[in-house]
């Protein structure tokens, strides 16, 4: 990925962060995130937007396994399992639910993956990133395989996490239960 492509990705992240804050503020949705391989880039993108303190409650950078376990409540069985581990659907799910519980947010996103250049595992090449999206008690996960060097993988993961937050805000704000709760 060339310099121009990275600049375009950074612009996309900026635009998406503005969209996240605008949508969440309008819908009165609270947000949080749990990050591993992005190391706080999702939180930084959101908090770079003026007015982000209204919807964004905070984030946890759980780069180390003990933080995933002790702060976010990821089960040791997931983290110690050689087929699951920190880069898995189960870990993304538990990270996402853990940060939502910890910060009492209605929508949260989690990111855990292998940014490189090292760290690849069998079945998990560099660029493998799992995401979790929590929307009022329900979590879904998705995996993406990004290309490029470390910086490119981290930026692509950040952009995708922000897009997932937009999806979660839309999902929540269009739900009948949420709409009914806002008008009472």
């Amino acid at each position: 990925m060339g310099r121009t492509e990275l600049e375009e990705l950074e612009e996309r992240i900026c635009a998406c962060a503005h969209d996240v804050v605008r949508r969440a503020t309008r819908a009165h949705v609270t947000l949080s995130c749990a990050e591993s391989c992005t190391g706080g880039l999702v939180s930084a993108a959101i908090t770079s937007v003026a007015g982000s303190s209204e919807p964004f409650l905070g984030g946890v950078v759980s780069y180390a396994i003990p933080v995933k376990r002790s702060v976010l409540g990821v089960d040791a069985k997931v983290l110690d399992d050689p087929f699951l581990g920190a880069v898995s659907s189960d870990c993304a799910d538990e990270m996402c639910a853990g940060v939502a519980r910890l910060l009492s947010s209605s929508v949260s996103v989690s990111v855990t993956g292998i940014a490189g250049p090292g760290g690849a595992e069998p079945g998990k090449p560099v660029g493998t990133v799992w995401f979790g999206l929590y929307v009022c008690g329900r979590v879904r996960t998705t995996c993406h395989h990004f290309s490029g060097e470390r910086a490119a993988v981290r930026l692509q993961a950040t952009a995708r996490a922000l897009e997932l937050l937009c999806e979660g805000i839309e999902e929540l704000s269009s739900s009948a239960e949420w709409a009914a709760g806002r008008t009472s």
Side-chain angles (χ1 to χ4, degrees):
M1 192 173 273
R3 180 70 182 136
T4 304
E5 292 166 323
L6 287 177
E7 289 171 347
E8 288 173 10
L9 193 50
E10 288 171 348
E11 288 174 14
R12 182 172 139 216
I13 288 167
C14 183
C16 199
H18 277 84
D19 197 29
V20 165
V21 171
R22 180 184 54 77
R23 288 175 185 231
T25 301
R26 279 190 192 160
H28 303 286
V29 169
T30 56
L31 308 171
S32 64
C33 62
E35 302 180 65
S36 187
C37 65
T38 49
L41 291 174
V42 178
S43 295
I46 294 169
T47 59
S48 71
V49 179
S52 59
S53 60
E54 184 176 337
F56 188 64
L57 301 177
V60 173
V61 177
S62 57
Y63 206 69
I65 296 290
V67 176
K68 287 176 180 68
R69 185 178 293 136
S70 65
V71 176
L72 296 175
V74 177
D75 193 320
K77 291 177 185 175
V78 169
L79 296 168
D80 297 339
D81 186 310
F83 299 105
L84 296 175
V87 181
S88 67
S89 173
D90 293 53
C91 185
D93 180 308
E94 292 188 21
M95 286 172 64
C96 201
V99 77
R101 183 176 48 254
L102 184 66
L103 300 178
S104 299
S105 60
S106 48
V107 176
S108 69
V109 69
S110 64
V111 185
T112 185
I114 305 167
E121 300 173 14
K124 298 177 187 177
V126 168
T128 302
V129 181
W130 277 95
F131 298 88
L133 177 64
Y134 170 99
V135 180
C136 276
R138 295 179 307 275
V139 179
R140 68 177 183 265
T141 62
T142 185
C143 183
H144 291 269
H145 297 279
F146 300 113
S147 61
E149 295 182 5
R150 182 178 180 80
V153 169
R154 294 178 74 222
L155 289 175
Q156 290 170 88
T158 299
R160 183 63 190 131
L162 292 167
E163 291 165 357
L164 284 169
L165 282 172
C166 282
E167 290 174 22
I169 294 163
E170 182 62 32
E171 184 179 316
L172 181 60
S173 61
S174 65
S175 75
E177 292 172 10
W178 183 257
R182 288 188 51 216
T183 58
S184 341

